[in-house]
Amino acid sequence: MSVLTAPSLPTRAPEAPRTAGRLRVLDGLRLLAALLVVLYHYVGEGGWSDPQRTFPVLGAIAPYAWLGVELFFLISGFVICMSAWGKPLTAFVRSRVVRLFPAYWFCVLATGAFLLLPGLPTEGDRPTISQILTNLTMVQNPLGVDDVDHSYWTLWAELRFYLLFAVVAWIGVTRKRVVAFCWLWTLAVVLAPAAGLPVLGLLANPVYAPLFLSGIAFYLIRRNGPRQGAPWALLGVNWLLAQHSMIEVSAHYSPHSHRLSWTVCVAVVTAFYVLMAAVALGYLDRIDWRWLTTAGAISYPLYLIHQAIGVHLLHLWRDALPPWVLLSAAVAVMVCVAWLIHRYVERPGGALLRRAFSLSAGTRGSGSREPGARESEAREPGARTR
């Protein structure tokens, strides 16, 4: 007896992930974000008492330069999804520890030692030894301990993102799972303010989560092509949530003298979205200058080391040097210090941590390493070494 079966329909093979070379444009955007934050702290916030008079052009831009943090979070969503793809949870966690902690530990100790020098900060700015030691954990914020350097607050936002994305890494990163994760997190962002559950608000991070989620969506577009509807829908919803968050965030950053323009803040964030869309669609792939690799490498130590030390030195020298000379010298010195930290602290420290992880896992000697341990965060899966 024959059995009637429905004719099989032709299936369309899924689009292969894009595997172009190193995304050096992301390295450049990292440095741009770091320099914007430096501009905010040196000109917009703490370096001069009347920055708009001292720097007529920069003084008008600098109050909005804190938006470099928003660009950092967009890039982070893109890069974390990219670097976690195809890795087990243990490799994902190890890569985060190796990437974040060597430079961070050094900068906490260096900044803490600087702030304890006699005669530099005011008495109220001096950290305690316990505060410095607690900062080494990177979880000082939930413990109610002040950051040694105020810039460190963003690391707690990053850690919460890593904690949530670790769930995806644990079950295995696939497109469907990442999309489901993003929609669930978006729902939590919407519900958290009204839920009255502190834990939900803590994990959902409703103010900055839309930026991480948008970065993930941009990577999905980059990996799977622009014809998938879900990433674009995620981008639309989370851009709307991000512009709403700008009301609260711009009020927080507004100086006492005047309120920052919500319109300008949203316009800048939207420009960052356009830049990331251009990266995702491959329009900026021609920006492939080799020096951008170094630019991206120094962005993290530059962010960590610039604020407390730099602002105090500006206060010390601002009456002795012309403003433009002092500002240019301060930025140049901090960029050089950041390179030194990357070259002589971050790279050897990361190598030591990788070796320690390998030994603790019972692997053989220093020749073994976790899968993808040396893969740069600005490199796509399967990319060739240039």
Side-chain angles (χ1 to χ4, degrees):
M1 180 177 177
S2 63
V3 179
L4 296 176
T5 59
S8 60
L9 298 175
T11 58
R12 181 173 156 185
E15 188 172 357
R18 301 175 64 170
T19 55
R22 183 183 181 87
L23 288 175
R24 288 195 174 95
V25 65
L26 281 183
D27 292 323
L29 290 177
R30 277 198 189 107
L31 183 61
L32 171 63
L35 290 175
L36 284 173
V37 175
V38 171
L39 175 64
Y40 173 72
H41 288 140
Y42 285 5
V43 177
E45 187 184 53
W48 283 266
S49 57
D50 190 0
Q52 294 195 6
R53 184 175 179 180
T54 306
F55 305 98
V57 176
L58 281 184
I61 298 172
Y64 294 94
W66 52 268
L67 288 163
V69 170
E70 270 63 16
L71 179 56
F72 264 130
F73 289 160
L74 281 170
I75 296 171
S76 182
F78 188 107
V79 165
I80 293 305
C81 187
M82 176 171 64
S83 61
W85 212 284
K87 288 183 180 180
L89 175 61
T90 52
F92 172 71
V93 172
R94 289 171 185 174
S95 69
R96 294 298 85 213
V97 172
V98 168
R99 173 73 178 102
L100 293 181
F101 277 98
Y104 176 74
W105 285 331
F106 176 84
C107 290
V108 167
L109 295 175
T111 301
F114 176 86
L115 294 176
L116 290 175
L117 291 175
L120 282 177
T122 60
E123 191 67 28
D125 291 334
R126 290 179 180 273
T128 64
I129 299 299
S130 177
Q131 180 185 347
I132 295 171
L133 294 176
T134 305
N135 268 245
L136 293 174
T137 66
M138 207 183 282
V139 293
Q140 62 272 12
N141 288 163
L143 295 175
V145 177
D146 290 338
D147 297 310
V148 170
D149 189 302
H150 296 311
S151 295
Y152 298 166
W153 72 266
T154 61
L155 300 175
W156 176 230
E158 292 272 356
L159 286 178
R160 284 178 282 172
F161 168 40
Y162 301 160
L163 177 63
L164 292 175
F165 203 81
V167 176
V168 186
W170 178 51
I171 62 177
V173 180
T174 66
R175 187 187 68 83
K176 289 184 177 180
R177 289 168 180 168
V178 171
V179 169
F181 163 79
C182 289
W183 281 120
L184 287 173
W185 192 6
T186 301
L187 180 61
V189 167
V190 174
L191 296 178
L197 298 173
V199 173
L200 179 60
L202 180 69
L203 290 176
N205 192 8
V207 175
Y208 295 107
L211 300 166
F212 293 118
L213 286 162
S214 297
I216 294 173
F218 281 125
Y219 178 66
L220 291 176
I221 293 169
R222 175 79 189 189
R223 182 179 180 86
N224 299 306
R227 296 182 181 180
Q228 305 290 328
W232 293 109
L234 279 166
L235 280 173
V237 171
N238 281 284
W239 179 88
L240 292 172
L241 295 174
Q243 65 79 28
H244 172 70
S245 297
M246 285 299 101
I247 299 173
E248 176 182 344
V249 179
S250 62
H252 172 77
Y253 281 98
S254 291
H256 297 297
S257 56
H258 67 281
R259 188 177 182 86
L260 295 179
S261 168
W262 169 88
T263 303
V264 173
C265 293
V266 172
V268 173
V269 170
T270 303
F272 293 156
Y273 270 72
V274 172
L275 274 174
M276 292 299 296
V279 173
L281 295 170
Y283 295 153
L284 302 181
D285 286 359
R286 292 185 178 182
I287 302 177
D288 196 34
W289 309 310
R290 290 184 179 275
W291 64 267
L292 289 175
T293 303
T294 303
I298 67 172
S299 60
Y300 180 54
L302 175 62
Y303 181 84
L304 293 175
I305 200 67
H306 80 277
Q307 185 179 1
I309 295 176
V311 170
H312 279 98
L313 292 179
L314 289 176
H315 288 170
L316 183 66
W317 290 96
R318 64 185 176 185
D319 294 330
L321 293 172
W324 275 106
V325 173
L326 179 57
L327 177 62
S328 301
V331 174
V333 167
M334 284 301 169
V335 167
C336 292
V337 169
W339 181 85
L340 291 171
I341 294 171
H342 166 69
R343 178 63 182 84
Y344 295 104
V345 176
E346 195 171 28
R347 286 172 57 180
L352 287 173
L353 281 178
R354 279 192 293 270
R355 189 174 298 116
F357 279 128
S358 296
L359 292 175
S360 66
T363 54
R364 290 190 306 165
S366 60
S368 59
R369 56 178 181 261
E370 64 182 82
R374 297 187 64 86
E375 179 185 352
S376 170
E377 290 185 341
R379 186 181 299 280
E380 296 181 83
R384 65 185 181 275
T385 302
R386 291 178 181 257

